[in-house]
Amino acid sequence: GVTSTSDTYKFKLLPGSNGSWITGITLSTDAAPEKVITNAAEITAGNTKLTNNITGTLTASSGTYVIDLAGKTWSATTSIALNVNGASVKLIDTVGGGKIIVTQNDAVEVNGGTLTAEGVTIISDNGGGDALFVNGGTTIVKDCTLYAKKAGIDVSQNGSSATITVDGGTFAGTYSTAEDRTCAIEFRNNDKTVTLTG
């Protein structure tokens, strides 16, 4: 059995009726080892700190996520890297130099729920792609760098309601080769609320 007084635990060694008590053992409160993730689909709700570069797509439909790029690169070649569709997702980069980069689509899409991005770099290097495509939900972008060949932020024309707050940062079209329709923020025939500060 285990009994506790404050932070000190006592363990009785068994088997046998003559088991003896040992005292003064303190259980470690160190965090569990970080999980090594190679594909974005392996990210689950809770806190995730990347320990290496990853690829693939995460669709976040429920729960709360905090994803720390920690200086690493999250890339996707055939689809959106992050699709927020009902969950609450916070993207951060505590190390610096990390990025999300997509070569065949929009990089990050918000259809519902909440996305908060602070100090991250998001890139779409696709001719028709946006760094951040907002179709619904709530999006807060603070001190981020968003580059795309089309739009840094594309506020969709679709019917969903959306609220977007942009506080500082760098937003630009034309990440690579210049195209005819490039812009920092694109508004398309919609009824969305966008607040620009900083």
Side-chain angles (χ1 to χ4, degrees):
V2 179
T3 62
S4 65
T5 56
S6 185
D7 292 328
T8 301
Y9 294 79
K10 295 192 301 182
F11 297 84
K12 189 171 185 180
L13 302 181
L14 299 175
S17 58
N18 296 322
S20 60
W21 288 95
I22 55 175
T23 61
I25 294 177
T26 302
L27 299 183
S28 171
T29 57
D30 292 344
E34 293 172 337
K35 179 181 177 184
V36 176
I37 293 170
T38 58
N39 189 292
E42 300 171 25
I43 298 174
T44 57
N47 295 345
T48 300
K49 182 176 183 179
L50 298 187
T51 57
N52 51 276
N53 296 335
I54 65 170
T55 60
T57 298
L58 169 65
T59 298
S61 300
S62 63
T64 300
Y65 296 73
V66 177
I67 302 170
D68 182 359
L69 298 179
K72 304 300 187 285
T73 297
W74 174 354
S75 60
T77 57
T78 60
S79 60
I80 296 165
L82 173 61
N83 181 1
V84 180
N85 195 17
S88 174
V89 178
K90 183 173 185 179
L91 282 175
I92 59 175
D93 184 5
T94 57
V95 175
K99 62 182 176 285
I100 296 175
I101 182 166
V102 172
T103 56
Q104 292 296 322
N105 211 318
D106 302 326
V108 176
E109 184 170 313
V110 183
N111 291 299
T114 301
L115 171 68
T116 302
E118 295 185 3
V120 298
T121 297
I122 302 173
I123 299 168
S124 173
D125 200 19
N126 174 48
D130 307 301
L132 177 59
F133 181 88
V134 180
N135 187 48
T138 299
T139 300
I140 301 168
V141 181
K142 181 174 176 59
D143 297 328
C144 291
T145 301
L146 305 183
Y147 290 128
K149 288 185 178 179
K150 185 183 173 200
I153 300 177
D154 186 344
V155 186
S156 169
Q157 79 272 29
N158 295 338
S160 313
S161 63
T163 303
I164 307 166
T165 301
V166 177
D167 185 357
T170 301
F171 309 88
T174 316
Y175 170 65
S176 186
T177 305
E179 295 192 2
D180 291 337
R181 187 173 74 162
T182 61
C183 50
I185 302 177
E186 177 180 17
F187 300 90
R188 290 190 287 152
N189 193 21
N190 54 57
D191 186 16
K192 308 291 195 292
T193 300
V194 179
T195 303
L196 304 178
T197 62

